[in-house]
Coordinates of all heavy atoms in Angstrom, one line a residue:
Chain B
E535 N 34.6 162.4 119.2 CA 35.4 161.8 118.2 C 35.2 162.4 116.8 O 34.2 162.1 116.1 CB 35.0 160.3 118.1 CG 35.7 159.5 117.0 CD 35.1 158.1 116.8 OE1 34.1 158.0 116.0 OE2 35.6 157.2 117.4
P536 N 36.2 163.2 116.3 CA 36.2 163.5 114.9 C 36.9 162.4 114.2 O 38.1 162.1 114.5 CB 37.0 164.8 114.9 CG 37.1 165.3 116.3 CD 37.1 164.0 117.1
S537 N 36.3 161.9 113.2 CA 36.8 160.7 112.4 C 36.8 161.0 110.9 O 35.8 161.3 110.3 CB 36.0 159.5 112.7 OG 36.3 158.4 111.9
F538 N 38.0 161.0 110.3 CA 38.2 161.5 108.9 C 38.4 160.4 108.0 O 39.4 159.6 108.1 CB 39.4 162.4 108.8 CG 39.3 163.7 109.7 CD1 39.4 163.6 111.1 CD2 39.2 164.9 109.1 CE1 39.3 164.7 111.8 CE2 39.1 166.1 109.9 CZ 39.1 166.0 111.2
G539 N 37.6 160.3 106.9 CA 37.8 159.3 105.8 C 38.7 160.0 104.8 O 38.2 160.8 104.0
I540 N 40.0 159.7 104.9 CA 41.0 160.5 104.1 C 40.8 160.3 102.6 O 40.8 161.2 101.8 CB 42.4 160.1 104.5 CG1 42.7 160.5 106.0 CG2 43.5 160.7 103.6 CD1 42.6 161.9 106.3
G541 N 40.5 159.1 102.2 CA 40.3 158.8 100.8 C 39.1 159.5 100.2 O 39.1 160.0 99.1
R542 N 38.0 159.6 101.0 CA 36.8 160.3 100.5 C 37.1 161.8 100.4 O 36.7 162.5 99.4 CB 35.7 160.1 101.5 CG 35.1 158.7 101.5 CD 33.9 158.6 102.4 NE 33.2 157.3 102.1 CZ 32.0 157.0 102.5 NH1 31.3 157.9 103.3 NH2 31.5 155.9 102.2
I543 N 37.8 162.4 101.4 CA 38.1 163.8 101.3 C 39.0 164.0 100.1 O 38.7 165.0 99.3 CB 38.9 164.2 102.6 CG1 38.0 164.1 103.8 CG2 39.5 165.6 102.4 CD1 38.7 164.3 105.1
I544 N 39.9 163.2 99.8 CA 40.8 163.4 98.6 C 40.0 163.3 97.3 O 40.2 164.1 96.4 CB 42.0 162.4 98.7 CG1 42.9 162.7 99.8 CG2 42.7 162.3 97.3 CD1 44.0 161.7 100.0
Y545 N 39.1 162.3 97.3 CA 38.3 162.2 96.0 C 37.5 163.4 95.8 O 37.4 164.0 94.7 CB 37.4 160.9 96.0 CG 36.6 160.9 94.8 CD1 37.2 160.5 93.6 CD2 35.3 161.3 94.7 CE1 36.5 160.5 92.4 CE2 34.6 161.3 93.5 CZ 35.2 160.9 92.4 OH 34.5 161.0 91.2
C546 N 36.8 163.9 96.8 CA 36.0 165.1 96.7 C 36.9 166.3 96.3 O 36.5 167.2 95.5 CB 35.2 165.4 98.0 SG 34.0 164.2 98.3
L547 N 38.1 166.4 96.9 CA 39.0 167.4 96.6 C 39.4 167.4 95.1 O 39.5 168.4 94.4 CB 40.3 167.2 97.5 CG 41.4 168.3 97.4 CD1 40.8 169.6 97.7 CD2 42.5 167.9 98.3
F548 N 39.6 166.2 94.6 CA 39.9 166.0 93.1 C 38.7 166.7 92.3 O 39.0 167.4 91.4 CB 40.0 164.5 92.7 CG 41.3 163.9 93.2 CD1 41.3 162.5 93.4 CD2 42.4 164.6 93.4 CE1 42.5 161.9 93.8 CE2 43.6 164.0 93.9 CZ 43.6 162.6 94.0
E549 N 37.5 166.3 92.7 CA 36.4 166.8 91.9 C 36.3 168.4 92.0 O 36.0 169.1 91.0 CB 35.1 166.2 92.3 CG 34.8 164.8 91.7 CD 33.3 164.4 91.6 OE1 32.5 165.3 92.0 OE2 33.1 163.3 91.3
H550 N 36.5 168.8 93.2 CA 36.3 170.3 93.5 C 37.5 171.1 92.8 O 37.3 172.3 92.5 CB 36.3 170.6 95.0 CG 35.0 170.3 95.6 ND1 34.5 170.8 96.8 CD2 34.0 169.4 95.2 CE1 33.3 170.3 97.1 NE2 33.0 169.4 96.2
S551 N 38.6 170.4 92.6 CA 39.8 171.1 92.1 C 39.8 171.1 90.6 O 40.6 171.9 89.9 CB 41.1 170.5 92.6 OG 41.1 170.5 94.0
Y552 N 39.0 170.2 90.0 CA 39.1 170.0 88.5 C 38.4 171.1 87.7 O 37.3 171.4 88.0 CB 38.6 168.6 88.2 CG 38.6 168.3 86.7 CD1 39.7 167.8 86.1 CD2 37.4 168.5 86.0 CE1 39.7 167.5 84.7 CE2 37.4 168.2 84.6 CZ 38.5 167.7 84.0 OH 38.5 167.5 82.7
Y553 N 39.0 171.6 86.7 CA 38.3 172.4 85.7 C 39.0 172.2 84.3 O 40.1 171.7 84.2 CB 38.2 173.8 86.1 CG 39.4 174.7 86.1 CD1 39.8 175.5 85.1 CD2 40.2 174.6 87.3 CE1 40.9 176.3 85.1 CE2 41.4 175.4 87.3 CZ 41.7 176.2 86.3 OH 42.9 177.0 86.3
M554 N 38.2 172.6 83.3 CA 38.8 172.6 81.9 C 38.9 174.0 81.4 O 38.1 174.8 81.7 CB 37.9 171.7 81.0 CG 38.0 170.2 81.3 SD 37.3 169.2 80.0 CE 35.6 169.7 80.0
R555 N 39.9 174.2 80.5 CA 40.0 175.5 79.8 C 40.5 175.2 78.4 O 41.3 174.3 78.2 CB 40.8 176.5 80.6 CG 42.3 176.1 80.8 CD 43.0 177.1 81.6 NE 44.3 176.7 81.9 CZ 45.1 177.2 83.0 NH1 44.6 178.1 83.7 NH2 46.3 176.7 83.2
P556 N 40.1 176.1 77.5 CA 40.5 175.8 76.1 C 42.0 176.1 75.9 O 42.6 176.9 76.6 CB 39.7 176.8 75.3 CG 39.3 177.8 76.2 CD 39.2 177.2 77.6
S557 N 42.7 175.3 75.0 CA 44.1 175.6 74.7 C 44.1 176.9 73.9 O 43.0 177.4 73.5 CB 44.6 174.5 73.8 OG 43.9 174.5 72.6
K558 N 45.3 177.5 73.8 CA 45.4 178.8 73.1 C 44.8 178.8 71.7 O 44.0 179.7 71.3 CB 46.8 179.3 73.1 CG 46.9 180.8 72.9 CD 48.3 181.3 72.9 CE 48.3 182.8 72.9 NZ 49.7 183.3 72.7
S559 N 45.1 177.7 71.0 CA 44.6 177.6 69.7 C 43.1 177.3 69.7 O 42.4 177.4 68.7 CB 45.3 176.5 68.9 OG 45.1 175.3 69.6
G560 N 42.5 177.0 70.9 CA 41.1 176.8 71.0 C 40.6 175.5 70.4 O 39.4 175.2 70.5
D561 N 41.5 174.6 70.0 CA 41.1 173.4 69.4 C 41.0 172.2 70.3 O 40.6 171.1 69.9 CB 41.9 173.0 68.1 CG 43.4 172.9 68.5 OD1 43.7 173.2 69.6 OD2 44.2 172.6 67.6
E562 N 41.4 172.4 71.6 CA 41.2 171.3 72.5 C 41.0 171.9 73.9 O 41.3 173.0 74.2 CB 42.4 170.3 72.5 CG 43.7 170.9 72.8 CD 44.8 169.8 72.9 OE1 44.5 168.7 73.2 OE2 46.0 170.2 72.6
Q563 N 40.3 171.0 74.8 CA 40.1 171.4 76.2 C 41.2 170.8 77.0 O 41.5 169.6 76.9 CB 38.7 170.8 76.6 CG 37.5 171.5 76.0 CD 37.3 172.9 76.5 OE1 37.3 173.1 77.7 NE2 37.1 173.9 75.7
L564 N 41.8 171.7 77.8 CA 42.9 171.2 78.7 C 42.4 171.0 80.1 O 41.6 171.8 80.6 CB 44.1 172.2 78.7 CG 44.6 172.4 77.3 CD1 45.7 173.5 77.3 CD2 45.2 171.2 76.7
N565 N 42.9 170.0 80.8 CA 42.5 169.7 82.2 C 43.4 170.4 83.1 O 44.6 170.4 83.0 CB 42.6 168.2 82.4 CG 41.8 167.3 81.5 OD1 40.6 167.6 81.3 ND2 42.5 166.4 80.8
V566 N 42.8 170.9 84.2 CA 43.6 171.6 85.2 C 43.1 171.1 86.6 O 41.8 171.0 86.8 CB 43.5 173.1 85.2 CG1 44.5 173.8 86.1 CG2 43.7 173.6 83.7
F567 N 44.0 170.9 87.5 CA 43.6 170.7 89.0 C 44.1 172.0 89.7 O 45.3 172.2 89.7 CB 44.1 169.5 89.6 CG 43.4 168.2 89.1 CD1 44.0 167.4 88.2 CD2 42.2 167.9 89.7 CE1 43.3 166.2 87.8 CE2 41.5 166.7 89.3 CZ 42.1 165.9 88.3
R568 N 43.2 172.7 90.3 CA 43.6 173.9 91.0 C 44.0 173.7 92.5 O 43.6 174.4 93.4 CB 42.5 175.0 90.9 CG 41.2 174.7 91.6 CD 40.3 175.9 91.8 NE 39.5 176.2 90.6 CZ 38.4 175.6 90.3 NH1 38.0 174.5 91.0 NH2 37.7 175.9 89.3
F569 N 44.8 172.6 92.7 CA 45.2 172.4 94.1 C 46.0 173.5 94.7 O 46.8 174.1 94.0 CB 46.2 171.2 94.1 CG 45.7 169.9 93.6 CD1 46.4 169.2 92.6 CD2 44.5 169.4 94.1 CE1 45.9 168.0 92.1 CE2 44.0 168.1 93.6 CZ 44.7 167.4 92.6
P570 N 45.7 173.9 95.9 CA 46.5 174.9 96.6 C 47.9 174.2 96.8 O 48.0 173.0 96.8 CB 45.9 175.1 98.0 CG 44.9 174.0 98.1 CD 44.6 173.4 96.8
P571 N 49.0 175.0 96.9 CA 50.3 174.5 97.0 C 50.4 173.5 98.2 O 51.2 172.5 98.0 CB 51.2 175.7 97.3 CG 50.4 176.9 96.7 CD 49.0 176.5 96.8
L572 N 49.7 173.7 99.2 CA 49.7 172.8 100.4 C 49.5 171.4 100.0 O 50.1 170.4 100.5 CB 48.5 173.2 101.3 CG 48.3 172.5 102.6 CD1 49.5 172.7 103.6 CD2 47.0 172.9 103.3
V573 N 48.6 171.1 99.0 CA 48.3 169.7 98.7 C 48.8 169.3 97.3 O 48.8 168.1 97.0 CB 46.7 169.4 98.7 CG1 46.2 169.5 100.1 CG2 46.0 170.3 97.7
A574 N 49.3 170.2 96.5 CA 49.7 169.9 95.2 C 50.8 168.8 95.3 O 51.7 168.8 96.1 CB 50.3 171.1 94.5
P575 N 50.7 167.7 94.4 CA 51.6 166.6 94.5 C 53.1 167.0 94.2 O 54.0 166.5 94.8 CB 51.1 165.7 93.4 CG 50.3 166.5 92.5 CD 49.7 167.6 93.3
I576 N 53.2 168.0 93.3 CA 54.5 168.5 93.0 C 54.3 170.0 93.0 O 53.3 170.5 92.6 CB 55.0 168.1 91.6 CG1 55.1 166.6 91.5 CG2 56.2 168.7 91.1 CD1 55.3 166.0 90.1
K577 N 55.3 170.7 93.6 CA 55.0 172.2 93.9 C 55.5 173.0 92.7 O 55.0 174.1 92.5 CB 55.8 172.6 95.1 CG 55.6 171.8 96.3 CD 54.2 171.6 96.7 CE 54.1 170.7 98.0 NZ 52.8 170.3 98.3
C578 N 56.4 172.4 91.9 CA 57.0 173.3 90.9 C 57.6 172.4 89.8 O 58.2 171.3 90.1 CB 58.1 174.1 91.6 SG 59.1 175.1 90.5
T579 N 57.6 172.8 88.5 CA 58.3 172.2 87.5 C 59.4 173.1 87.0 O 59.2 174.3 87.1 CB 57.5 171.8 86.3 OG1 56.5 172.8 86.1 CG2 56.7 170.5 86.6
V580 N 60.5 172.6 86.6 CA 61.6 173.4 86.1 C 61.9 172.9 84.6 O 62.2 171.8 84.4 CB 62.9 173.2 86.9 CG1 64.0 174.2 86.5 CG2 62.5 173.5 88.4
F581 N 61.8 173.9 83.7 CA 62.0 173.5 82.2 C 63.0 174.5 81.7 O 62.9 175.7 81.8 CB 60.8 173.9 81.4 CG 59.5 173.4 81.8 CD1 58.4 174.2 82.0 CD2 59.3 172.0 82.1 CE1 57.1 173.7 82.4 CE2 58.0 171.5 82.4 CZ 57.0 172.4 82.6
P582 N 64.0 173.9 80.9 CA 64.7 174.8 80.0 C 63.8 175.1 78.8 O 63.1 174.2 78.4 CB 65.9 174.0 79.6 CG 65.9 172.7 80.3 CD 64.5 172.6 80.9
L583 N 63.7 176.4 78.4 CA 62.8 176.8 77.3 C 63.0 175.9 76.1 O 62.1 175.4 75.4 CB 62.9 178.3 77.0 CG 61.9 178.7 75.9 CD1 60.5 178.6 76.3 CD2 62.2 180.2 75.5
V584 N 64.3 175.8 75.7 CA 64.7 174.9 74.6 C 65.9 174.1 75.1 O 66.5 174.3 76.1 CB 65.1 175.8 73.4 CG1 64.0 176.5 72.8 CG2 66.2 176.8 73.8
Q585 N 66.1 173.0 74.4 CA 67.3 172.1 74.7 C 68.6 172.9 74.5 O 68.9 173.3 73.4 CB 67.2 170.8 74.0 CG 66.2 169.9 74.6 CD 66.1 168.5 73.9 OE1 66.1 168.5 72.7 NE2 66.2 167.5 74.7
H586 N 69.3 173.1 75.6 CA 70.5 174.0 75.5 C 71.3 173.7 76.7 O 70.8 173.8 77.8 CB 69.9 175.5 75.5 CG 71.0 176.5 75.4 ND1 72.0 176.7 76.3 CD2 71.2 177.5 74.5 CE1 72.8 177.7 76.0 NE2 72.3 178.2 74.9
E587 N 72.6 173.4 76.5 CA 73.4 173.0 77.6 C 73.4 173.9 78.8 O 73.2 173.5 80.0 CB 74.8 172.7 77.1 CG 75.6 171.8 78.0 CD 77.0 171.6 77.4 OE1 77.1 171.4 76.1 OE2 78.0 171.6 78.2
Q588 N 73.5 175.2 78.5 CA 73.6 176.2 79.7 C 72.3 176.3 80.4 O 72.3 176.5 81.6 CB 74.1 177.5 79.1 CG 75.6 177.5 78.9 CD 76.1 178.9 78.6 OE1 75.6 179.6 77.6 NE2 77.0 179.5 79.4
F589 N 71.2 176.3 79.6 CA 69.9 176.4 80.3 C 69.7 175.1 81.2 O 69.1 175.2 82.3 CB 68.8 176.4 79.2 CG 68.7 177.7 78.4 CD1 67.8 177.9 77.4 CD2 69.6 178.8 78.7 CE1 67.8 179.1 76.7 CE2 69.6 180.0 78.0 CZ 68.7 180.1 77.0
E590 N 70.1 174.0 80.7 CA 70.0 172.8 81.4 C 70.7 172.9 82.8 O 70.3 172.4 83.8 CB 70.4 171.5 80.7 CG 69.3 171.0 79.8 CD 69.8 169.7 79.0 OE1 70.6 169.0 79.5 OE2 69.2 169.5 77.9

Side-chain angles (χ1 to χ4, degrees):
Chain B
E535 175 190 88
S537 170
F538 298 70
I540 297 298
R542 291 184 165 196
I543 293 172
I544 290 174
Y545 178 76
C546 292
L547 184 61
F548 287 155
E549 280 202 7
H550 286 202
S551 303
Y552 176 83
Y553 66 99
M554 285 197 298
R555 61 183 174 200
S557 66
K558 201 178 185 189
S559 58
D561 57 356
E562 58 176 330
Q563 290 288 313
L564 302 174
N565 304 306
V566 188
F567 284 103
R568 65 164 86 74
F569 299 128
L572 181 68
V573 295
I576 297 170
K577 312 304 182 192
C578 175
T579 39
V580 185
F581 309 127
L583 180 62
V584 290
Q585 283 184 309
H586 181 300
E587 201 178 317
Q588 280 189 303
F589 292 177
E590 273 181 29

